[in-house]
């Protein structure tokens, strides 16, 4: 981790608690980007989308993406112990590698086995997080079976510096700063974190540096450069119930992207060329079977371009390309079209104590896609189609369609259908011994019906859904290789109620989920049947007070020592956070995690930390 530590010597992270001069995104809370090929008014979308903005992240003092989305309905976050340990996210019952994670449009799913290191994605400089549930392969191709989580970095004027510390040797610091230099916009964020953890060899260290430059060449034309580097390391305190005092995992991540945006009248072109590199290392010098080390290097090169045509937006006179949903609706009946293309090349090299596993294994994909939307009066229709062609598994076509109908008194009905697929990863295809080049993509389809109601300061939403998945990739113990044998079905109901009144915002949501393996008839592992979240934020005077209560019901799991299937008991966890601005530039803050000191496990056999008290100081400049 030394290169980033040298680069970030003056950049001590944790910028989100100091986000008083909030990021300035190009879209408002009423506009979503992840659920369509163009920015759309949130109440025009047939999909279910939750937006967590920078102000809420600041109030909750969340430092990782996993913490941010843990309270989103339909999602369950399962962390194997203390912060930094392996974390899975199950969206509407889908597997963790069946949700697509985008960081400013760049996929962060590892090409090796399609996994996501949710625990290593920080919130430094994040303006908002969008969580779109349901299948979105018609927009993004492989991986978007359970949904899409997208993280957007923001811009800011000036900067914020913060330092905080707490129990078990925890220290974190950071900086987020930005400024305009003529026609060029510069933003820099970063952090350094040290955490000893609750158990021996349970540490979590992390360093990150992100920089972005945006140049306005002329009105309607913007060129950018985006770069990010993250180094993280965690100790592994035990394995199969036995202590592993010297075992550790390291993770390196590098992203570079060149985004371009051009606007002229009703036409908009968005394009981005991006390269992502992942590096993972495992060390356990005490392993009795000789598996003392493994190293993996993977990379992805992607190009994506989307052309949109929206005469209604042009008629509304939207300045600078920033959508104004109310103006769009007032512009009358509207037809919008979007066409795009995408190219991707993935490569993985892997080795261990037993030799080389993969050496430059590759696959390439080309895709073309389109989406059309039409609105007239109370009716809004959306339809999209995408075709992916891959040099290993062949082709896949995905469809998505939806309708929104507005009724009287703020009532909105919506319905949607979507196809989805997840391509076999390079590890599943080519890993020696277990890989199977004949694997087909995992496929699925989903329907959802929802009703939303807004009455003054109140908002209510109820959504019912059913997902069916086929050709799931699993390991066949007889053939001793990965094969397409799995089938699963998930159905459920999500409900949410919210009130915004003055300085107070309260949100209550809950999920009832029935997720089954249709081959065995058993419940899918680590998917709770019931879950609920209560979130509250109050901003009296110079104070910002926040509380989150998270309930997770009983769920099936596997004992890590005996490998026997058994239930993991439910739990209720409460976190509280407070911040006070004592000077225009100075704000102390504190938070208490797991206030009641509950003893519980999100993953069976991996106890989570008890009550944790942390405090810090933020300085704006």
């Amino acid at each position: 981790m030394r290169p980033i530590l040298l680069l970030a010597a003056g950049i001590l992270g944790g910028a989100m608690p100091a986000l008083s001069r909030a990021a300035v995104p190009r879209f408002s809370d009423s506009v979503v980007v992840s659920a369509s090929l163009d920015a759309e008014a949130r109440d025009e979308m047939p999909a279910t989308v939750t937006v967590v903005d920078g102000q809420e992240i600041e109030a909750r003092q969340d430092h990782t993406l996993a913490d941010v989305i843990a309270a989103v309905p339909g999602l369950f976050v399962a962390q194997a112990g203390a912060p930094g340990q392996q974390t899975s996210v199950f969206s509407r019952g889908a597997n963790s590698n069946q949700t697509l994670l985008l960081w400013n449009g760049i996929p962060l799913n590892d090409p090796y086995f399609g996994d996501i290191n949710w625990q290593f994605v920080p919130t430094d400089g994040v303006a908002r997080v969008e969580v779109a549930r349901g299948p979105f392969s018609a927009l993004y191709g492989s991986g978007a079976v359970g949904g899409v989580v997208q993280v957007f970095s923001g811009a800011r004027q000036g900067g914020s510096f913060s330092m905080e510390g707490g129990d078990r040797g925890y220290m974190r610091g950071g900086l987020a700063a930005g400024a305009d230099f003529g026609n060029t916009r510069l933003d820099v964020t970063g952090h350094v974190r040290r955490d000893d953890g609750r158990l021996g060899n349970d540490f979590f260290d992390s360093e990150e540096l992100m920089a972005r430059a945006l140049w306005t060449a002329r009105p309607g034309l913007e060129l950018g450069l985006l770069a990010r580097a993250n180094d993280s390391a965690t100790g592994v305190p035990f394995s199969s119930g036995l202590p592993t005092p010297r075992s550790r995992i390291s993770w390196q991540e590098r992203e570079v992207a060149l985004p371009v945006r051009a606007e002229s009248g009703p036409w908009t072109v968005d394009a981005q060329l991006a390269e992502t590199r992942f590096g993972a290392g495992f060390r356990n010098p005490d392993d009795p079977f000789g598996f003392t080390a493994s190293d993996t290097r993977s990379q992805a090169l992607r190009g994506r371009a989307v052309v949109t045509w929206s005469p209604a937006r042009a008629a509304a006179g939207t300045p600078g390309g920033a959508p104004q949903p109310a103006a769009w609706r007032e512009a009358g009946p509207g037809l919008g079209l979007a066409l795009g293309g995408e190219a991707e090349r993935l490569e993985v090299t892997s080795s261990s104590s037993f030799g080389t596993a993969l050496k430059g294994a590759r696959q390439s994909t080309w895709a073309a896609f389109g989406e059309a939307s039409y609105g007239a009066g109370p009716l809004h229709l959306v339809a999209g189609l995408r075709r992916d062609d891959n040099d290993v598994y062949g082709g896949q076509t995905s469809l998505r369609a939806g309708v929104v109908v507005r009724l009287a008194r703020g009532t909105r009905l919506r319905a949607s259908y979507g196809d989805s697929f997840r391509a076999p990863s390079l590890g599943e295809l080519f890993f020696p011994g277990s890989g199977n080049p004949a694997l087909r993509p995992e496929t699925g389809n989903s329907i959802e019906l929802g009703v939303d109601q807004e009455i003054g300061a109140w908002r209510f939403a109820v959504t019912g859904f059913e997902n069916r998945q086929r050709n799931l990739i699993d390991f066949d113990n007889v053939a001793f290789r990965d094969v397409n044998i799995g089938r699963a079905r998930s159905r459920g109901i999500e409900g949410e109620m919210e009130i915004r009144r003055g300085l107070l915002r309260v949100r209550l949501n809950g999920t009832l989920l029935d997720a089954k393996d249709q081959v065995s008839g058993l419940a899918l592992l680590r998917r709770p049947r019931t879950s609920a979240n209560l979130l509250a934020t109050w901003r009296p005077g110079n104070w910002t007070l926040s509380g989150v209560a998270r309930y997770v019901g009983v769920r099936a799991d596997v004992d890590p020592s005996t490998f026997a299937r058994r239930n993991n008991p439910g739990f209720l966890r409460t976190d509280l956070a407070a911040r006070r601005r004592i000077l225009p530039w100075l704000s102390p803050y504190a938070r208490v995690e797991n206030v009641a000191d509950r003893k519980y496990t999100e993953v069976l056999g991996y106890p989570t930390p008890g009550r944790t008290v942390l405090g810090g100081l933020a300085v704006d400049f």
Side-chain angles (χ1 to χ4, degrees), residues 110 249-252 278-283 294-298:
D110 188 356
I249 297 173
S250 61
W251 177 257
Q252 299 82 42
F278 301 115
F282 170 75
R283 298 291 183 271
S294 68
D295 292 282
T296 302
R297 298 290 179 267
S298 58

Side-chain angles (χ1 to χ4, degrees), residues 25 44 59 68 109 193 229 248-249 413 426 433 467 483 531 588 598:
E44 301 282 5
V68 172
N109 298 56
R193 170 179 177 147
R248 60 179 289 156
I249 297 173
L413 303 179
L426 286 168
N467 306 328
V483 294
S531 59
R598 300 283 187 181

